[in-house]
Amino acid sequence: MKSLIQQQQDASLAAIKTASDAAALKEVRLHYLGKSGAISCLSEQMRTLSKEERPAIGQLLNQWRNSFTEVLEAKEKMLLDQADEASFASLDPSLPGTASWQGALHPLTLLTNRIVQIFRRLGFAIAEGPDIDDEWHCFDALNTPPDHPARQEQDTFYLPDGRLLRTHTSTVQIRAMEQTSPPLRIIAPGAAYRRDEIDATHLSQFTQMEVLCVGEGITLGDLKGTAEFFFRELFGPETECRFRPHFFPFTEPSFEIDVRVKPAFLASKCTPASFKAEFLKEEKWLELAGCGMVDPSVFEAVNQQRSDQAYDPEKISGFAFGFGLERLVMILTGISDIRMLSENDLRFLKRFAGEF
Ligand code: PHE
């Protein structure tokens, strides 16, 4: 039996050596290790041996199985490596690859993110409201009487059921105060809609940012400080702000904020030369935002809706301001036609991707 095992063992190792591919090697494995393979058959025959012979034969069989498996696995690995090498041989690593498309954020989204970061540092949270709102949130609660021109059909998009596309994000002032008691510090970025003729400076859907801060002892000084901080963060520390008296139904007193940006700051931005607009060359005042102290009648409308006195105008005050984001993107990028921001021409979008 011993010599039989030895013979078979030599034959099995030789068979591994001569197997030239994976299929042949599989055959060899089956022939020796399979259920009715040579090693199993000889193991079966151990039963016919005497007690004294068994241990030595058993040991021989084990050694055979171990060395067979080891040599077989080494050969399998070698064949795999050879196959890998063969498939790489036909590969030309100097060929140009296939470029993958990478998306990028729209300039308006980039600006929104930047503004959110600036206000977050001042403790403002983001608030939201629906694009389709009712007349009460868009006008009545904001002290805007029925005969106000903004309410006319030629200025606003009305739905058949009387609701409308909000004409400003000031609706979110009301919705935030309905839901939350003071103190309150929110910003609300979002779309606003007006029935404007579309031209180089007007879109019928544009983007606004609303800022509202309400609490005890909030003053005009807080409004000016916050607005100035914001515009200087955005346009550089030498930016000047001017508060020009104005009228809004929902703030008293009301102002428009004019901003004078240093051309040197804009030139330092990544403004492609082809988009340089004329304001890059000279300093001038740009009308960028509307603002004011929240009118007491707005607080009263909110209290009535909430059925409480959380926004008691005797104890509570606040400021609000709002501005259009398209105008700011136009200044930062130097483009002179607002339509570029909604046409989604890839040649334009690619120039600004990631550059704010
Ligand atoms: N909602 C005003 C507009 O769209 C801007 C504004 C917001 C004015 C907040 C005052 C306070 O023109």
PDB file of all heavy atoms in Angstrom, residues 168 170 173 194 208 210 248 250-251 290-291 320-322, ligand 1:
ATOM      1  N   HIS A 168     -43.095  88.457  -3.646  1.00  0.00           N
ATOM      2  CA  HIS A 168     -41.858  88.668  -2.892  1.00  0.00           C
ATOM      3  C   HIS A 168     -41.755  87.599  -1.801  1.00  0.00           C
ATOM      4  O   HIS A 168     -42.743  86.942  -1.475  1.00  0.00           O
ATOM      5  CB  HIS A 168     -41.781  90.076  -2.287  1.00  0.00           C
ATOM      6  CG  HIS A 168     -43.001  90.483  -1.508  1.00  0.00           C
ATOM      7  ND1 HIS A 168     -43.161  91.730  -0.969  1.00  0.00           N
ATOM      8  CD2 HIS A 168     -44.131  89.809  -1.166  1.00  0.00           C
ATOM      9  CE1 HIS A 168     -44.317  91.808  -0.342  1.00  0.00           C
ATOM     10  NE2 HIS A 168     -44.927  90.659  -0.442  1.00  0.00           N
ATOM     11  N   SER A 170     -41.326  88.222   1.208  1.00  0.00           N
ATOM     12  CA  SER A 170     -41.793  88.778   2.490  1.00  0.00           C
ATOM     13  C   SER A 170     -42.923  87.935   3.085  1.00  0.00           C
ATOM     14  O   SER A 170     -43.202  88.025   4.287  1.00  0.00           O
ATOM     15  CB  SER A 170     -42.251  90.230   2.309  1.00  0.00           C
ATOM     16  OG  SER A 170     -41.182  91.015   1.835  1.00  0.00           O
ATOM     17  N   GLN A 173     -41.818  86.137   6.080  1.00  0.00           N
ATOM     18  CA  GLN A 173     -41.823  86.865   7.371  1.00  0.00           C
ATOM     19  C   GLN A 173     -43.057  86.461   8.166  1.00  0.00           C
ATOM     20  O   GLN A 173     -42.982  86.094   9.335  1.00  0.00           O
ATOM     21  CB  GLN A 173     -41.919  88.380   7.139  1.00  0.00           C
ATOM     22  CG  GLN A 173     -40.698  89.065   6.580  1.00  0.00           C
ATOM     23  CD  GLN A 173     -40.908  90.585   6.564  1.00  0.00           C
ATOM     24  OE1 GLN A 173     -41.612  91.140   7.410  1.00  0.00           O
ATOM     25  NE2 GLN A 173     -40.293  91.248   5.601  1.00  0.00           N
ATOM     26  N   ARG A 194     -43.212  88.035 -10.842  1.00  0.00           N
ATOM     27  CA  ARG A 194     -43.916  89.263 -11.211  1.00  0.00           C
ATOM     28  C   ARG A 194     -44.227  89.238 -12.686  1.00  0.00           C
ATOM     29  O   ARG A 194     -43.493  88.662 -13.478  1.00  0.00           O
ATOM     30  CB  ARG A 194     -43.072  90.489 -10.877  1.00  0.00           C
ATOM     31  CG  ARG A 194     -43.070  90.703  -9.382  1.00  0.00           C
ATOM     32  CD  ARG A 194     -42.442  91.964  -8.916  1.00  0.00           C
ATOM     33  NE  ARG A 194     -42.109  91.768  -7.496  1.00  0.00           N
ATOM     34  CZ  ARG A 194     -41.270  92.498  -6.810  1.00  0.00           C
ATOM     35  NH1 ARG A 194     -40.677  93.509  -7.387  1.00  0.00           N
ATOM     36  NH2 ARG A 194     -41.046  92.242  -5.543  1.00  0.00           N
ATOM     37  N   GLN A 208     -35.183  85.871  -4.551  1.00  0.00           N
ATOM     38  CA  GLN A 208     -35.013  86.879  -3.506  1.00  0.00           C
ATOM     39  C   GLN A 208     -34.473  86.247  -2.243  1.00  0.00           C
ATOM     40  O   GLN A 208     -34.539  85.030  -2.043  1.00  0.00           O
ATOM     41  CB  GLN A 208     -36.366  87.529  -3.174  1.00  0.00           C
ATOM     42  CG  GLN A 208     -36.807  88.581  -4.148  1.00  0.00           C
ATOM     43  CD  GLN A 208     -37.946  89.421  -3.581  1.00  0.00           C
ATOM     44  OE1 GLN A 208     -38.734  88.955  -2.756  1.00  0.00           O
ATOM     45  NE2 GLN A 208     -38.043  90.663  -4.019  1.00  0.00           N
ATOM     46  N   GLU A 210     -34.949  87.070   1.886  1.00  0.00           N
ATOM     47  CA  GLU A 210     -35.631  87.879   2.890  1.00  0.00           C
ATOM     48  C   GLU A 210     -34.875  87.735   4.200  1.00  0.00           C
ATOM     49  O   GLU A 210     -34.436  86.635   4.549  1.00  0.00           O
ATOM     50  CB  GLU A 210     -37.060  87.319   3.058  1.00  0.00           C
ATOM     51  CG  GLU A 210     -37.986  88.212   3.809  1.00  0.00           C
ATOM     52  CD  GLU A 210     -38.499  89.351   2.917  1.00  0.00           C
ATOM     53  OE1 GLU A 210     -38.337  89.281   1.685  1.00  0.00           O
ATOM     54  OE2 GLU A 210     -39.047  90.316   3.480  1.00  0.00           O
ATOM     55  N   PHE A 248     -42.252 101.282   1.981  1.00  0.00           N
ATOM     56  CA  PHE A 248     -42.831  99.943   1.831  1.00  0.00           C
ATOM     57  C   PHE A 248     -43.993  99.880   2.803  1.00  0.00           C
ATOM     58  O   PHE A 248     -43.887 100.396   3.926  1.00  0.00           O
ATOM     59  CB  PHE A 248     -41.821  98.844   2.175  1.00  0.00           C
ATOM     60  CG  PHE A 248     -40.655  98.764   1.217  1.00  0.00           C
ATOM     61  CD1 PHE A 248     -39.406  99.233   1.602  1.00  0.00           C
ATOM     62  CD2 PHE A 248     -40.802  98.238  -0.058  1.00  0.00           C
ATOM     63  CE1 PHE A 248     -38.331  99.178   0.727  1.00  0.00           C
ATOM     64  CE2 PHE A 248     -39.727  98.183  -0.936  1.00  0.00           C
ATOM     65  CZ  PHE A 248     -38.493  98.662  -0.546  1.00  0.00           C
ATOM     66  N   PHE A 250     -45.077  97.568   4.620  1.00  0.00           N
ATOM     67  CA  PHE A 250     -44.896  96.685   5.784  1.00  0.00           C
ATOM     68  C   PHE A 250     -43.712  97.059   6.648  1.00  0.00           C
ATOM     69  O   PHE A 250     -43.381  96.344   7.594  1.00  0.00           O
ATOM     70  CB  PHE A 250     -44.791  95.224   5.331  1.00  0.00           C
ATOM     71  CG  PHE A 250     -43.999  95.048   4.056  1.00  0.00           C
ATOM     72  CD1 PHE A 250     -42.653  94.762   4.107  1.00  0.00           C
ATOM     73  CD2 PHE A 250     -44.613  95.182   2.822  1.00  0.00           C
ATOM     74  CE1 PHE A 250     -41.918  94.612   2.931  1.00  0.00           C
ATOM     75  CE2 PHE A 250     -43.883  95.041   1.640  1.00  0.00           C
ATOM     76  CZ  PHE A 250     -42.547  94.751   1.691  1.00  0.00           C
ATOM     77  N   THR A 251     -43.037  98.171   6.344  1.00  0.00           N
ATOM     78  CA  THR A 251     -41.968  98.646   7.225  1.00  0.00           C
ATOM     79  C   THR A 251     -42.134 100.140   7.455  1.00  0.00           C
ATOM     80  O   THR A 251     -42.629 100.861   6.592  1.00  0.00           O
ATOM     81  CB  THR A 251     -40.565  98.380   6.627  1.00  0.00           C
ATOM     82  OG1 THR A 251     -40.565  98.771   5.263  1.00  0.00           O
ATOM     83  CG2 THR A 251     -40.168  96.922   6.757  1.00  0.00           C
ATOM     84  N   GLY A 290     -34.286  96.515  -0.307  1.00  0.00           N
ATOM     85  CA  GLY A 290     -35.303  97.299   0.388  1.00  0.00           C
ATOM     86  C   GLY A 290     -35.292  96.882   1.841  1.00  0.00           C
ATOM     87  O   GLY A 290     -35.025  95.717   2.147  1.00  0.00           O
ATOM     88  N   CYS A 291     -35.562  97.828   2.747  1.00  0.00           N
ATOM     89  CA  CYS A 291     -35.489  97.447   4.159  1.00  0.00           C
ATOM     90  C   CYS A 291     -36.305  98.385   5.033  1.00  0.00           C
ATOM     91  O   CYS A 291     -36.825  99.395   4.556  1.00  0.00           O
ATOM     92  CB  CYS A 291     -34.036  97.442   4.630  1.00  0.00           C
ATOM     93  SG  CYS A 291     -33.330  99.098   4.741  1.00  0.00           S
ATOM     94  N   ALA A 320     -36.480  94.222   8.833  1.00  0.00           N
ATOM     95  CA  ALA A 320     -36.548  93.277   7.719  1.00  0.00           C
ATOM     96  C   ALA A 320     -35.832  93.891   6.540  1.00  0.00           C
ATOM     97  O   ALA A 320     -35.811  95.110   6.387  1.00  0.00           O
ATOM     98  CB  ALA A 320     -37.998  92.987   7.358  1.00  0.00           C
ATOM     99  N   PHE A 321     -35.189  93.070   5.754  1.00  0.00           N
ATOM    100  CA  PHE A 321     -34.763  93.550   4.443  1.00  0.00           C
ATOM    101  C   PHE A 321     -34.798  92.425   3.423  1.00  0.00           C
ATOM    102  O   PHE A 321     -34.845  91.240   3.771  1.00  0.00           O
ATOM    103  CB  PHE A 321     -33.454  94.334   4.455  1.00  0.00           C
ATOM    104  CG  PHE A 321     -32.191  93.604   4.835  1.00  0.00           C
ATOM    105  CD1 PHE A 321     -31.288  93.225   3.852  1.00  0.00           C
ATOM    106  CD2 PHE A 321     -31.869  93.379   6.162  1.00  0.00           C
ATOM    107  CE1 PHE A 321     -30.083  92.621   4.185  1.00  0.00           C
ATOM    108  CE2 PHE A 321     -30.667  92.771   6.517  1.00  0.00           C
ATOM    109  CZ  PHE A 321     -29.772  92.389   5.522  1.00  0.00           C
ATOM    110  N   GLY A 322     -34.851  92.861   2.172  1.00  0.00           N
ATOM    111  CA  GLY A 322     -34.970  91.875   1.103  1.00  0.00           C
ATOM    112  C   GLY A 322     -34.232  92.365  -0.124  1.00  0.00           C
ATOM    113  O   GLY A 322     -34.110  93.572  -0.348  1.00  0.00           O
TER     114      GLY A 322
HETATM  115  N1  PHE B   1     -40.342  92.747  -0.363  1.00  0.00           N
HETATM  116  C1  PHE B   1     -39.700  93.951  -0.837  1.00  0.00           C
HETATM  117  C2  PHE B   1     -39.593  93.869  -2.360  1.00  0.00           C
HETATM  118  O1  PHE B   1     -39.782  92.830  -2.921  1.00  0.00           O
HETATM  119  C3  PHE B   1     -38.338  94.147  -0.245  1.00  0.00           C
HETATM  120  C4  PHE B   1     -38.375  94.382   1.234  1.00  0.00           C
HETATM  121  C5  PHE B   1     -38.219  93.327   2.115  1.00  0.00           C
HETATM  122  C6  PHE B   1     -38.564  95.652   1.749  1.00  0.00           C
HETATM  123  C7  PHE B   1     -38.223  93.546   3.472  1.00  0.00           C
HETATM  124  C8  PHE B   1     -38.569  95.888   3.106  1.00  0.00           C
HETATM  125  C9  PHE B   1     -38.391  94.812   3.944  1.00  0.00           C
HETATM  126  O2  PHE B   1     -39.315  94.864  -3.007  1.00  0.00           O
END
